[in-house]
Amino acid sequence: MDRIDCLRAFVRSLEGGSFSVAANELGIGQPAVSKRIALLESEFGTQLFFRTTRKLKPTPEGHRIYDLARQILGSFDLARANVEENSLRPSGTLRVSLPSSFGRRYLMPVIAEYVRTYQGVRLDIRFSERFVNLVEEGIELALRIGQLESSTLVARRLGTVRRYLVATPTYLRGRSVPRAPEDLNAHQCIVYSRLPAANDWIFESEHGRHVASIGGPLLVDDADAMEQAVMHHLGIAILPEWSAVAGIRNGQLQNLLPDFSIAALPLHAIYPETHWMSLRARSFLDLLIKRAGQFSVP
C-alpha cells in the first residue's frame, strides 16, 4: 500500500476527528482508513490515536508525527503539481542511442524536426554501433538493427533493413565472379564483426538455405568502414541498403548472387520497461514511428 495514502488518511483523520470524516473526504470506506492507520502504526512501531466509541484523540506520538506528515504531503503535492504542469509539454534531456551509419544516413532530418518542434527538450544523441546498456548509461530510447536478445526491454518494430552482397568491378577484374555461395570460399571477404556467427554468411534460394563459411583480410565493427573497404577494392561484403544501392545503380558496385537472397534485418526502437515513459521519449518515439517509412532507400 502507498505510504503517501496512509499519511494522507492519518492527517485527515486527525484534522477531522474521526475515521468516517477522513473516509468521506478521501472517497474511500472507513475500514480502508482504519487499515491505513494500522499500517502506519505498524511502520512506526507506536500507537497514533486513542480510540473510543465517540472520540478519536491523537497520542503524543501522533501529534509529533502530524507536523512532519503535513510537510511530506505538501512536498509530494508540490512535486506532483510541477510534473502535471510540465507534462503538457516535453522537457528535460533525452538521451538516445543510434547506430552510427544508419543514424547519420536517416536520423538527422528526424532529429532536426524534433528539435524544432520540442524546444524545451535537449537531445543527447549517442552514435555507436555497439549495443549499449540502456539502464546503466541512462538512455531512454535506442534503435537496434538485427535480432534482439531476450531482455526486459520493450521493443517497437519500425521496419527492416535490406542487405546486398557486393564488390567493385576493380576487385572482380581477373577473378571468377561467384555464381553460388560456396564460390565465396575463393574470395577475400570483408566481415562485419557485430553480427552473430560473423564468418558464416547465410543465403536462401528456391533450393533452400546455403551457408558459406568465409574468410578475408579485414574484420570491422562499423558499417561505413566496411563500405569504404569495399570501395578500396579489398574484397566482397554484405552491405546494408543505404551503403549499397547507390553504388549498384551508378556501377561502382556489382550486385553479386542475385538469385540468392540475404535475410533483411529487423529495425526496432527499444526502451526500458517502465510504467511511466517520459513525454520527451514518447514524443520522440511517436516521431520515429511517423517517419519510419523514410528509413529505406527509394
Side-chain angles (χ1 to χ4, degrees):
M1 185 181 297
D2 193 323
R3 300 304 189 266
I4 292 293
D5 290 339
C6 294
L7 286 175
R8 204 177 298 280
F10 164 69
V11 169
R12 295 291 183 268
S13 297
L14 190 149
E15 293 175 344
S18 72
F19 289 168
S20 60
V21 170
N24 288 334
E25 290 185 7
L26 297 173
I28 59 177
Q30 185 172 327
V33 173
S34 299
K35 184 177 181 180
R36 293 178 184 185
I37 299 301
L39 181 59
L40 278 185
E41 290 179 330
S42 175
E43 194 83 34
F44 294 142
T46 187
Q47 186 176 349
L48 299 178
F49 292 104
F50 295 118
R51 300 168 177 82
T52 68
T53 56
R54 302 181 60 181
K55 191 171 182 64
L56 190 68
K57 181 180 179 182
T59 65
E61 292 78 13
H63 272 300
R64 289 198 297 271
I65 292 171
Y66 171 71
D67 288 336
L68 293 172
R70 287 195 62 183
Q71 292 177 31
I72 292 170
L73 291 174
S75 297
F76 178 82
D77 290 341
L78 179 62
R80 182 170 61 183
N82 181 269
V83 170
E84 289 174 348
E85 179 183 355
N86 284 283
S87 66
L88 300 177
R89 59 188 184 278
S91 61
T93 298
L94 173 61
R95 188 168 294 137
V96 179
S97 175
L98 301 176
S100 300
S101 179
F102 178 87
R104 286 190 290 265
R105 173 62 176 81
Y106 293 114
L107 268 297
M108 289 313 300
V110 176
I111 291 169
E113 180 179 355
Y114 186 87
V115 169
R116 287 192 294 265
T117 304
Y118 302 104
Q119 298 182 13
V121 178
R122 185 187 188 200
L123 278 180
D124 180 356
I125 306 295
R126 309 290 178 89
F127 290 92
S128 175
E129 292 294 312
R130 68 186 180 91
F131 282 9
V132 299
N133 187 305
L134 272 61
V135 176
E136 288 184 2
E137 300 193 26
I139 292 170
E140 292 190 68
L141 193 67
L143 291 190
R144 295 263 172 94
I145 297 173
Q147 300 298 330
L148 298 178
E149 296 181 357
S150 177
S151 73
T152 59
L153 297 173
V154 181
R156 173 62 185 261
R157 181 77 172 258
L158 296 178
T160 56
V161 175
R162 291 173 294 174
R163 298 183 293 163
Y164 297 83
L165 184 73
V166 296
T168 61
T170 298
Y171 167 78
L172 294 170
R173 191 174 301 128
R175 293 181 172 91
S176 60
V177 176
R179 303 297 180 189
E182 54 266 26
D183 296 339
L184 294 172
N185 296 329
H187 284 270
Q188 302 294 309
C189 295
I190 301 163
V191 180
Y192 183 64
S193 61
R194 292 199 177 275
L195 292 179
N199 290 299
D200 291 333
W201 289 357
I202 299 175
F203 301 85
E204 300 285 347
S205 75
E206 60 182 7
H207 301 294
R209 171 169 290 196
H210 309 259
V211 179
S213 297
I214 53 86
L218 190 58
L219 187 72
V220 297
D221 66 352
D222 181 89
D224 287 341
M226 187 165 57
E227 177 189 1
Q228 289 301 309
V230 173
M231 290 301 187
H232 280 84
H233 322 299
L234 296 182
I236 296 173
I238 296 176
L239 295 183
E241 59 184 330
W242 66 84
S243 297
V245 171
I248 293 171
R249 287 174 179 169
N250 63 29
Q252 289 182 296
L253 295 175
Q254 184 170 334
N255 186 23
L256 304 174
L257 301 185
D259 295 330
F260 296 81
S261 64
I262 304 170
L265 297 177
L267 170 67
H268 290 94
I270 62 170
Y271 50 93
E273 186 176 24
T274 175
H275 294 296
W276 299 104
M277 188 180 192
S278 73
L279 189 58
R280 58 183 173 269
R282 169 54 62 185
S283 57
F284 194 86
L285 176 60
D286 288 344
L287 185 58
L288 286 174
I289 295 170
K290 184 178 180 181
R291 299 291 179 241
Q294 301 174 10
F295 300 159
S296 62
V297 177

